[in-house]
Amino acid sequence: SRMIPAKKNVLFILLLLCLCFTQGIAQQVANVSVIQTLDSGRLHYTFYYDLLADQPNIASYVRVKIKTVSREFYITEATGALGEFVYPGTRKMIRWDYTRELVHFSGDIEYVVEAEPMIKPTPFVKRGKKLVVSLRTILPKDSLYTVTLYRKAIPIWHLADSIQGNSFAVTIPKKVKVRKGYQVAITHNEQHYFSSTFKIKRRVNRFLYVLAGGAIAVPFYLIATRPDEPLPEAPEVK
């Protein structure tokens, strides 16, 4: 293979991926920079970035996508703050041994640092309804875990026992307050894994819909069924 002198032949163009939801920052990559370094006689690129989130306990899956004129791929010859269980913080570092993955290449390269929650619930749910949660493959196969509702790192409600698999649904209690910033935590072998945040919305009673519909329908009904105006009295025949 041929080592590419990156300063002369390889130009990196920065793309920034921000994963945001309406209820707040779920995960966001910011302040990305890159420098060339020499380690044990080999050229590397070192990426620095900040990982922002609503809560410091939200773990992310971080990866770097490279795009050239001929292909796209995710880097594998790298160390540092990438892969599973990367927590929020500043000045995160990823060191990429690019000469192992860019062989006989010279040209422009685009890259993007991506972050997504390890445990991702739907952005919002109504009280009394099902919250759908998806997980990356972070637990041993066939393992069982419990699920608890949290807000601001405080347990609010025990939701389920003996959950299994990488996707599940739990019912949000009707008595829980309508607020932002909720999380679910799954517990396995006394270890807690927290989701990104979501919002619990108010559930509108169906009876109110019936009343509202009735209030609109009644005037039309009265108009449609009002008695006809009386006919004028017939003239007397002489």
Side-chain angles (χ1 to χ4, degrees):
S1 63
R2 180 170 63 88
M3 184 177 295
I4 302 172
K7 285 187 176 180
K8 294 182 180 180
N9 296 327
V10 180
L11 173 65
F12 283 88
I13 302 173
L14 171 64
L15 299 175
L16 183 62
L17 179 69
C18 298
L19 301 178
C20 301
F21 295 101
T22 56
Q23 80 275 16
I25 297 174
Q27 255 72 27
Q28 183 176 352
V29 176
N31 302 323
V32 180
S33 62
V34 60
I35 61 172
Q36 188 185 60
T37 56
L38 186 65
D39 184 15
S40 301
R42 297 185 64 86
L43 286 173
H44 295 73
Y45 270 98
T46 301
F47 302 91
Y48 293 96
Y49 68 94
D50 297 340
L51 182 60
L52 311 177
D54 285 342
Q55 296 292 332
N57 59 11
I58 300 175
S60 295
Y61 175 61
V62 176
R63 55 186 180 172
V64 180
K65 182 165 67 174
I66 301 296
K67 181 179 180 180
T68 70
V69 292
S70 59
R71 65 185 180 117
E72 291 183 7
F73 63 95
Y74 288 97
I75 66 175
T76 58
E77 299 292 334
T79 59
L82 79 166
E84 296 183 338
F85 289 104
V86 179
Y87 287 90
T90 59
R91 201 66 175 169
K92 298 284 185 178
M93 183 186 73
I94 299 172
R95 179 172 292 179
W96 179 35
D97 187 354
Y98 72 92
T99 60
R100 294 182 181 273
E101 299 191 78
L102 290 177
V103 181
H104 302 299
F105 175 81
S106 178
D108 294 347
I109 295 174
E110 298 177 358
Y111 71 90
V112 55
V113 179
E114 300 179 352
E116 62 180 279
M118 295 287 294
I119 303 175
K120 185 178 180 180
T122 48
F124 60 85
V125 63
K126 293 180 180 180
R127 294 186 296 186
K129 296 294 186 178
K130 294 284 187 180
L131 176 74
V132 178
V133 184
S134 59
L135 291 69
R136 288 192 56 82
T137 309
I138 59 176
L139 297 177
K141 187 177 181 180
D142 300 327
S143 61
L144 300 176
Y145 41 89
T146 61
V147 183
T148 306
L149 181 66
Y150 276 74
R151 189 173 186 274
K152 294 184 177 180
I154 299 174
I156 303 297
W157 207 286
H158 183 74
L159 297 177
D161 286 312
S162 303
I163 294 293
Q164 187 177 15
N166 294 325
S167 180
F168 60 88
V170 288
T171 301
I172 298 299
K174 296 180 180 179
K175 296 181 179 180
V176 173
K177 294 182 179 179
V178 175
R179 287 179 178 173
K180 300 178 181 180
Y182 283 100
Q183 294 175 278
V184 291
I186 65 174
T187 303
H188 175 70
N189 290 339
E190 300 183 356
Q191 178 67 45
H192 301 300
Y193 305 93
F194 286 88
S195 74
S196 55
T197 59
F198 62 94
K199 179 181 179 180
I200 294 180
K201 300 177 67 175
R202 190 179 306 279
R203 182 180 181 183
V204 179
N205 196 312
R206 291 182 179 179
F207 180 68
L208 297 180
Y209 284 116
V210 173
L211 289 179
I216 296 173
V218 165
F220 289 99
Y221 178 79
L222 293 177
I223 293 172
T225 60
R226 69 182 182 179
D228 294 331
E229 296 289 338
L231 293 175
E233 191 173 332
E236 182 179 356
V237 178
K238 296 182 180 181

